[in-house]
Amino acid sequence: MSVLCGWDSEFEVLRNQRNPGRSGDMNGRCKSLVIANGGLGNSVSRTLLLKVLERYGSVEALLMPPNKPYSFVRYRTKEESQKAYVTLNGKEIVDDLGQNITLYLNFVEKVHWEDLRPPVLPPGLMIVEEIVSPEDEEKILQSIDWTDNSVAQNAQKSLKHRKVKHYGYEFCYDNNNVDKDKPLPGGLPDICHSILEKCLKEGHIKYIPDQLTVNQYEPGQGIPPHIDTHSAFENEIISLSLGAEIVMDFKHPDGCMVSVLLPQRSLLVMTGESRYLWTHGITPRKFDIIQASEEQKSGIIISDAGNLTLKKRGVRTSFTFRKVRRTPCDCSYPLVCDSQSCHQSETFPSFPENDKEASELEQEYVHRVYEEIAEHFSSTRHTPWPQIRAFLKALPKGSIVADIGCGNGKYLGLNKEIYMIGCDRSQSLVEICRERQFEAFVCDALAVPIRSESCDACISIAVIHHFATAERRLATLQELARLLRPGGKALIYVWAMEQEYNKQKSKYLKGNRDSEEKELHLNSGVLASGLLGEQNPGTSSQISVCSISTINDLKDRGCNVNEVINSKLPVHTNRTSFHSQDVLVPWHLKRCQDKHAEPLKLTPDLEGPHNPNPVFHRYYHVFCEGELETSCRMLSNISIQQSFYDQGNWCVIFKKL
């Protein structure tokens, strides 16, 4: 079995390579093993696993990827790895939860781990360690009487995942707000005043809070990801962690996830972007994944698979202080601001009722957006998808291939033995292609200036889902078929509504924005459950006008096509499941330092003139299962060769008859 897997960069790559002329096993030639069922993802800590592995020899390195149910070990000698394989393969051990699990081992031929780029804390987030002494910690914890159910001085609730008490003002979970006209009697506990005065003196806060929420978390309890309501509280939110440490997860709307260790007796300070834009939450579990080295006391949990372990949670009590807001929030993040939401509904378009409206929608929410985000978009699209690479590599030498909607051209130079030409609706993306010495030109997807039946193959990667009606989407398929010679093939990718398929979440749901820079590469039929790469494998901006079929054809075939006529298009929350097929997907623009051009005012009410990172919205129609295949079958001059699902995308390969 040949496996390419991750390994910490401080360890050199194993030089054992399989002899191409031999097919025998490699048990006697490798020092490294993969251990299935022995990982952080199924409650096996580094300490426990090392104790088991060291019985059979000297362990040089142990790699435990975060949240994965497997790990990798390298012994000092091949004989020691052989002994561990013979003895441990199929052996039961007891994990850190006291449950019996069976380990399965196999040899690893080649190991390589790419350097990780350390993430950074969300802007505006700060952790102050040892803000109180152990003695003060004990006094504060004893001041909270969880056995007293009286609501005379505070509002106490027993929620599903934790115990909660409120002081100053009660936070109402039914509307995620406070009644500013009904303060609770008694105010904040007296014991908190000295802590708040210290925070004010040291510059951690600018004003004294008047609302306190106390949460008690038992091991296994947590709180869902959320943003504290903008209209309810002012900018500064501080949270004191007592009794035990915890790992809190912060998530940006574009999917970036940062896990932060909050030590016991530390103060978490959230202001600005970290308070208004990033969600924060605690995953309900009994163990946290933390750095194995003892040097780190707080901060980001880096996904260094060679330095991670499990730590059992204790009972943590958090004291979260806020200042009740008396005026509407005017923050720079209106898309997630309830005070400014009344302006948002007036900005977003309705689903088009005719071809003219569809064309206007696509012009505003596809064409113009890609012109503006082209440079940033291109910087996120550089890793070819394996299935697309395989399709292009399998074409005969000298084939003529058209990439319709080529984006930044990442597939144009993939196979040097074929002749590829690309086209895209975005002038800016085509210019990027030309800078890379690729052949590309600007055109509409339904008006490609290439002679009929002149291409041996075509690819359309993440293009058709930008068309606003079923008729227009079908017309793009007809144009692909026109370009192909008889016997030529087309590969098509569109975004899927089903981002969780066969009980597997797509990379889109699980990924973050740094996935291409720091990624555990696993090319194995046993370990790798899906293909690696970006979720959207090369979105372009191809749109044109045509009318051929109707949406009823898809409904008749059983597709779950949502009707949203006469309704506003919903704004999708990035890295979450889709709840509608026709959506606006936010793109958080990050400009290069040397680019000074003003952004197009696509949503002026939302962004404001001073937002350094404006948000643009791209229109998408996400395809339900069977919808793309059904559309293809409406063409009389093609036959479908393959229809499959690839990491959140529906894909079809068809052949021209």
Side-chain angles (χ1 to χ4, degrees), residues 624-639:
C624 66
E625 183 174 7
E627 184 178 349
L628 177 61
E629 184 175 349
T630 299
S631 297
C632 291
R633 293 191 187 281
M634 294 179 186
L635 304 180
S636 60
N637 58 346
I638 65 100
S639 66

Side-chain angles (χ1 to χ4, degrees), residues 60-128:
E60 287 189 342
L62 176 61
L63 175 73
M64 302 187 76
N67 302 309
K68 301 298 183 182
Y70 51 79
S71 56
F72 301 91
V73 62
R74 187 173 73 190
Y75 281 96
R76 184 175 57 85
T77 67
K78 299 171 185 176
E79 292 74 21
E80 290 171 334
S81 66
Q82 175 71 17
K83 182 179 179 181
Y85 171 76
V86 172
T87 309
L88 285 179
N89 189 31
K91 179 181 175 63
E92 276 195 354
I93 66 169
V94 180
D95 66 15
D96 287 76
L97 290 175
Q99 301 170 333
N100 291 333
I101 61 170
T102 302
L103 300 181
Y104 297 97
L105 281 70
N106 211 331
F107 288 89
V108 179
E109 180 178 352
K110 184 180 180 181
V111 189
H112 176 68
W113 175 249
E114 293 185 357
D115 274 332
L116 298 179
R117 187 182 72 184
V120 296
L121 287 173
L125 189 145
M126 179 175 62
I127 302 169
V128 184

Side-chain angles (χ1 to χ4, degrees), residues 559-570:
C559 291
N560 179 28
V561 180
N562 295 348
E563 289 193 53
V564 288
I565 304 298
N566 296 322
S567 64
K568 294 291 184 182
L569 287 172

Side-chain angles (χ1 to χ4, degrees), residues 505-522:
K505 289 185 178 180
S506 69
K507 294 284 289 184
Y508 176 71
L509 294 184
K510 297 187 295 184
N512 63 50
R513 65 184 175 187
D514 292 329
S515 61
E516 290 189 320
E517 283 76 25
K518 47 177 192 175
E519 196 171 57
L520 180 65
H521 294 284
L522 294 170

